Amino acid sequence: MNDQLRVRRQKLEELRDKGIEPYGARKFDRQDLASTLEKKYGKDDKEELNNDMPKTKIAGRMLAKRGKGKVGFADLYDRTGKIQIYVRKDIVGDDNYKIFKKSDIGDFLGIDGEVMKTDTGELTIRAHHVTFLAKALRPLPDKYHGLKDVEQIYRQRYLDLITNRKSYMRFVHRTQIIQAIRDYLNNRHFLEVETPVLHNIPGGAEARPFKTHHNALDIDLYMRIALELPLKRLIVGDMERVYEIGRVFRNEGLDTQHNPEFTELESYAAYWDFHDVMDEAEGIIRAAAKVVTDDGKITYQGTQIDLGKPFRRVHMVDLIKEKTGIDFWKPMSLEEATKIAEDHDIKVEKFWKVGHIINAFFEKYCQDTIVDPTFVYGHPVEVSPLAKKNADDPRFTDRFEIYIMGEEYGNAFSELNDPDDQRARFEAQMEERAAGNDEADLIDEDYLRAMEYGMPPTGGLGIGIDRLVMLLTDAPAIRDVLLFPTMRPKKVEGVDEEVKEDLKKKNKKN
RNA sequence: GAGUCGUUAGCUCAGUCGGUAGAGCAUCUGACUUUUAAUCAGAGGGUCGACGGUUCAAGCCCGUCACGACUCACCA
């Protein structure tokens, strides 16, 4: 146990000796927050305010203290921000002043006092009485630099939230962004629903799932990798407009863009096609952006992006032609396409068809070049097992993805509602699986049965919420927008032996 | 999975050629009745990520391991 922990435990005992139980407070009748004080008195004239002396009660965690003999200043923080307090020995009395003097950075205090402004014009609460609310036994990170150790930021997020206001606000914005999306969809008569996280067959996306086991039923279950198939069953169930914002799980690598669990929005609207969904997606992204910007202009990692102007809409084949000069509109055999791919440094997998090659050209030569918000549409049918074929050219689908600064933010299509076609697509996926693609979709017979009861034409959309929040809050890594990102476990330092000894002694005394 | 880098006081970081471990903040003692990273004087505080090796001597050199970050591969 280091000196600081020891000192804080001593202070804990001193408080008890004075008859103050350091964790005894049940509640505190708080009357103002930093924000309400600013709103009520922020613009008041100093002289008038200091004559009026309006009374208030505030509470918060003390994060800075500036002593000055028989008078002291401190900064308390509540959920809305900072409140400076001013404590005078001649006002609060000797005993109460000592409690203030002995309290540590990190402790929770409640202040009865009056609102005033200092010589520098800062709104301040002059204390009449300091109520001790809770003790912090461990010292907080450096107040000036904040917590910098990224490992500690992720493992002990509470420390990051206490010391890094920017990070704190980012998570506030995350919640507000999700709320804005809900409002947008609710206003358009979408019904928010909840579907199972535990699936018998993981489907709706190409990804490796997490496997788990239910004891009573003695069956293996999978954590969902997408929301898609249950939601489309609800479209079959005539709910017409549904959405879900929920966690999905993919058993894959993790890096700055990927976490094993992440939050996805999926929405489905009957009688819409993928053009309607493009409008919807633009609307959702703009509504979300309003949380952080008035004019739709944002800066992500130094690059200016305008989310306010209409997104570009470009066919995947046209974009490939634009970037490489290769024309995949021309009918092409697999041999021809493979030759072109190999000439362009693209490794062709055994199970690939022409469509996979076109998609690979897009990913290798186009994706990274996209900066402004862009809908890339018309994905090949081979890589789009759940999307409706294009009416004029069945090699492609009525599908689009949203790209901004080379990163994918959403995936959408006119939903395939022909059960026989869907069965054929699933079977093609099973062939891929047999040929070595262990992420290919499995056949979901119940889903096919549902579709046979009739599914209206439907436009579906999926948006990665975490990535959208990253974009809007200028976060460089997905971990920065996840309160508790997935980490390899580390031995947590246990209660020190000396602390245990102390507690033992105390228990004997009592 | 591969490569590169990092891990030193509660926090942020220095640490030269291998020769008794440093600073700022924080903590403790004292001074100070409008401070703003308060100031001034003094003091205490270290399993240098872990283990092993080389050496008279290792925070530093070598090896293994742990955890993390970044890049690449896979994926959203």
Side-chain angles (χ1 to χ4, degrees):
Chain A
M1 180 147 89
N2 69 48
D3 59 330
Q4 306 207 32
L5 296 179
R6 205 186 310 273
V7 162
R8 283 169 184 242
R9 286 197 174 265
Q10 264 167 25
K11 289 177 174 175
L12 193 77
E13 288 311 314
E14 285 168 25
L15 282 170
R16 288 197 169 116
D17 291 345
K18 285 200 189 91
I20 293 165
E21 177 52 48
Y23 302 106
R26 289 294 183 275
K27 63 174 288 184
F28 185 80
D29 183 20
R30 174 160 65 174
Q31 292 176 1
D32 273 304
L33 298 168
S35 59
T36 64
L37 287 171
E38 179 59 32
K39 204 172 164 195
K40 287 189 216 168
Y41 309 111
K43 289 184 179 132
D44 283 15
D45 177 70
K46 182 190 161 201
E47 299 303 325
E48 276 178 38
L49 185 65
N50 291 358
N51 282 334
D52 291 351
M53 299 202 297
K55 291 207 176 347
T56 187
K57 291 185 183 185
I58 56 132
R61 188 195 286 272
M62 183 171 72
L63 290 184
K65 193 159 86 160
R66 298 174 287 280
K68 209 164 182 305
K70 297 182 179 63
V71 53
F73 288 84
D75 298 332
L76 300 195
Y77 279 76
D78 64 25
R79 65 177 186 270
T80 66
K82 181 178 96 169
I83 308 168
Q84 177 167 265
I85 62 167
Y86 176 43
V87 185
R88 292 175 62 115
K89 195 176 184 180
D90 57 2
I91 296 180
V92 300
D94 288 6
D95 287 349
N96 200 230
Y97 192 70
K98 191 146 194 208
I99 286 166
F100 170 72
K101 283 295 259 190
K102 287 277 180 182
S103 57
D104 287 304
I105 285 170
D107 291 354
F108 288 89
L109 301 178
I111 307 295
D112 288 58
E114 61 215 12
V115 187
M116 57 164 276
K117 276 189 176 176
T118 61
D119 286 349
T120 52
E122 181 168 350
L123 211 52
T124 299
I125 306 304
R126 179 166 39 216
H128 283 169
H129 186 74
V130 177
T131 306
F132 194 88
L133 296 175
K135 185 76 194 160
L137 287 173
R138 291 177 182 268
L140 291 175
D142 185 287
K143 69 181 168 193
Y144 185 59
H145 298 93
L147 185 62
K148 283 281 165 57
D149 179 351
V150 284
E151 187 168 351
Q152 227 177 337
I153 284 174
Y154 298 147
R155 288 188 196 277
Q156 296 177 267
R157 179 66 79 183
Y158 43 90
L159 291 180
D160 176 45
L161 293 171
I162 292 166
T163 53
N164 298 326
R165 208 65 187 178
K166 193 178 160 195
S167 180
Y168 185 102
M169 286 315 297
R170 181 177 281 144
F171 287 105
V172 172
H173 285 144
R174 178 185 172 115
T175 299
Q176 290 171 341
I177 285 164
I178 292 170
Q179 192 57 53
I181 293 170
R182 284 207 165 94
D183 289 346
Y184 181 91
L185 290 167
N186 292 343
N187 286 336
R188 281 154 187 80
H189 308 107
F190 281 81
L191 198 64
E192 181 170 15
V193 296
E194 291 172 282
T195 63
V197 170
L198 299 175
H199 285 192
N200 296 309
I201 298 169
E206 295 195 9
R208 275 184 288 271
F210 287 92
K211 196 175 182 179
T212 185
H213 187 80
H214 188 275
N215 289 338
L217 295 177
D218 192 24
I219 52 169
D220 286 337
L221 290 166
Y222 298 91
M223 312 290 282
R224 65 184 174 188
I225 56 173
L227 314 175
E228 177 134 356
L229 300 184
L231 290 177
K232 284 200 278 196
R233 284 177 173 90
L234 299 178
I235 295 295
V236 170
D238 290 342
M239 294 186 97
E240 289 196 358
R241 291 186 188 188
V242 293
Y243 75 97
E244 179 166 3
I245 293 173
R247 207 71 60 81
V248 298
F249 306 84
R250 298 189 183 175
N251 205 340
E252 280 153 7
L254 57 179
D255 57 33
T256 51
Q257 312 292 327
H258 299 85
N259 195 66
E261 52 177 309
F262 62 102
T263 301
E264 200 178 43
L265 158 73
E266 289 196 28
S267 82
Y268 294 86
Y271 314 114
W272 283 12
D273 71 3
F274 76 129
H275 294 291
D276 300 312
V277 179
M278 286 186 195
D279 296 338
E280 179 197 356
E282 276 194 58
I284 286 172
I285 290 171
R286 273 196 209 112
K290 268 205 133 146
V291 170
V292 296
T293 165
D294 290 327
D295 59 4
K297 289 192 175 71
I298 58 159
T299 302
Y300 185 71
Q301 302 296 295
T303 303
Q304 303 268 338
I305 309 240
D306 189 352
L307 298 168
K309 68 182 184 196
F311 295 6
R312 185 184 179 197
R313 304 184 181 199
V314 60
H315 195 284
M316 182 179 282
V317 171
D318 290 332
L319 192 60
I320 293 170
K321 205 170 159 186
E322 183 182 307
K323 297 295 176 192
T324 68
I326 298 163
D327 185 2
F328 282 107
W329 287 117
K330 283 192 290 201
M332 209 175 271
S333 69
L334 180 57
E335 289 68 34
E336 290 171 291
T338 302
K339 175 79 170 57
I340 297 172
E342 281 165 357
D343 289 348
H344 286 80
D345 203 22
I346 287 173
K347 186 171 174 279
V348 179
E349 302 286 343
K350 280 197 203 83
F351 57 85
W352 278 16
K353 305 268 186 341
V354 177
H356 295 96
I357 291 169
I358 295 173
N359 193 53
F361 264 90
F362 166 74
E363 286 179 359
K364 189 172 171 74
Y365 294 107
C366 304
Q367 184 174 340
D368 291 343
T369 69
I370 298 170
V371 178
D372 288 324
T374 303
F375 293 120
V376 178
Y377 67 91
H379 295 59
V381 67
E382 293 94 330
V383 297
S384 313
L386 299 162
K388 202 171 228 179
K389 280 177 197 155
N390 183 269
D392 301 320
D393 191 337
R395 293 176 297 170
F396 303 103
T397 57
D398 287 347
R399 172 184 176 191
F400 70 84
E401 290 181 304
I402 308 162
Y403 288 94
I404 305 169
M405 273 185 73
E407 200 58 56
E408 187 194 334
Y409 286 87
N411 183 20
F413 28 91
S414 299
E415 302 295 335
L416 178 54
N417 64 343
D418 174 342
D420 293 338
D421 191 358
Q422 183 66 76
R423 181 176 293 279
R425 304 283 191 94
F426 274 147
E427 278 164 1
Q429 288 287 303
M430 290 307 276
E431 277 172 33
E432 276 192 22
R433 184 168 277 270
N437 180 6
D438 58 358
E439 294 183 347
D441 265 305
L442 296 163
I443 295 185
D444 188 332
E445 285 293 344
D446 179 71
Y447 177 67
L448 289 169
R449 179 176 61 182
M451 200 171 283
E452 286 172 8
Y453 282 98
M455 180 171 143
T458 298
L461 171 67
I463 289 183
I465 295 293
D466 311 282
R467 288 200 182 160
L468 184 59
V469 173
M470 284 170 68
L471 179 74
L472 295 177
T473 61
D474 197 21
I478 194 168
R479 293 182 198 91
D480 297 318
V481 300
L482 298 169
L483 283 167
F484 299 103
T486 304
M487 301 285 277
R488 198 185 284 275
K490 199 179 182 183
K491 211 178 96 189
V492 176
E493 146 206 9
V495 180
D496 296 280
E497 286 307 310
E498 287 181 66
V499 177
K500 281 186 194 157
E501 286 302 309
D502 272 12
L503 290 174
K504 237 185 250 173
K505 270 184 223 158
K506 197 179 322 157
N507 289 339
K508 266 182 202 165
K509 259 193 267 174
N510 294 343

